Amino acid sequence: MATEWQMPPSTGQCAAGDRAFEPGDAFRAYLFATPGGYERRDYCLACAPPAGEAPIASWKARHAAPSAPRRRALDVETVYALFEGLAADGPPQQRQLRFVLALLLWRRRVLKLTDTVQEGEQEHWRFAAPSRGDLHVVERPPLAEEEIERLSAQLESLISGQVPIDAVISDASGVANA
Ligand SMILES: [Zn+2]
């Protein structure tokens, strides 16, 4: 799975193998943390990842028509909903995802970096969401700059091209084998 990070955003079929998506079909995309980085799998609404494989996040979307021009733009509402749904004190993989999502939002000027705070070994980045009046304190994960860059690019390609329905994170906090 180490090279999966270059896979296309959607395979067009349920990862459980029971059906191919038709244009307009709703599905849920699940994001997993793997040794190679993030991996995404889409399941139809009747299926879910096997128990024991806990996703770090998920979102609902619709399958686009194959003839439609591919929408590569990142939907900031989806990203913001994912970001907001992740607890600041969640498991390490979720805290890492939270930081990477904050970077994506910062680059799109949804978030504004106000300052960074060093507390012992831990660095926190503080972001404001001016249009929403929100403030977020985000833990910087203990990763090298280029690793963060790689995860960020990977995540962006996994999330972009979505036609989100609810843009809601549903189970990001239920990582402990629900
Ligand atoms: Zn299915």
Side-chain angles (χ1 to χ4, degrees), residues 7-91:
M7 74 181 182
S10 178
T11 56
Q13 58 183 17
C14 174
D18 65 331
R19 55 180 291 191
F21 297 134
E22 302 291 337
D25 280 356
F27 63 90
R28 187 163 278 277
Y30 293 84
L31 196 67
F32 299 87
T34 74
Y38 295 120
E39 182 191 326
R40 172 180 159 179
R41 267 182 270 149
D42 297 338
Y43 286 87
C44 74
L45 299 184
C47 296
E53 287 192 57
I56 50 173
S58 79
W59 64 94
K60 199 169 154 190
R62 277 189 199 286
H63 189 61
S67 57
R70 176 155 259 180
R71 202 170 141 235
R72 296 301 304 176
L74 194 68
D75 184 273
V76 294
E77 291 301 323
T78 305
V79 177
Y80 197 86
L82 284 169
F83 171 72
E84 272 200 308
L86 292 166
D89 58 354

Side-chain angles (χ1 to χ4, degrees), residues 22-158:
E22 302 291 337
D25 280 356
F27 63 90
R28 187 163 278 277
Y30 293 84
L31 196 67
F32 299 87
T34 74
Y38 295 120
E39 182 191 326
R40 172 180 159 179
R41 267 182 270 149
D42 297 338
Y43 286 87
C44 74
L45 299 184
C47 296
E53 287 192 57
I56 50 173
S58 79
W59 64 94
K60 199 169 154 190
R62 277 189 199 286
H63 189 61
S67 57
R70 176 155 259 180
R71 202 170 141 235
R72 296 301 304 176
L74 194 68
D75 184 273
V76 294
E77 291 301 323
T78 305
V79 177
Y80 197 86
L82 284 169
F83 171 72
E84 272 200 308
L86 292 166
D89 58 354
Q93 288 167 342
Q94 287 194 7
R95 298 205 299 268
Q96 178 182 303
L97 175 63
R98 192 163 175 267
F99 182 79
V100 174
L101 288 170
L103 288 187
L104 294 184
L105 290 166
W106 179 30
R107 285 173 187 155
R108 279 166 182 76
R109 300 171 204 279
V110 178
L111 291 180
K112 215 172 119 184
L113 182 66
T114 55
D115 58 357
T116 66
V117 188
Q118 189 79 32
E119 290 166 21
E121 295 280 285
Q122 187 55 59
E123 190 176 309
H124 289 95
W125 291 25
R126 298 200 287 198
F127 294 94
S131 64
R132 301 160 203 261
D134 295 340
L135 288 170
H136 301 280
V137 180
V138 184
E139 182 182 306
R140 189 200 184 282
L143 297 173
E145 197 84 18
E146 57 267 26
E147 179 67 2
I148 288 173
E149 263 320 305
R150 189 179 76 81
L151 290 173
S152 170
Q154 182 185 357
L155 190 65
E156 183 162 353
S157 84
L158 290 181

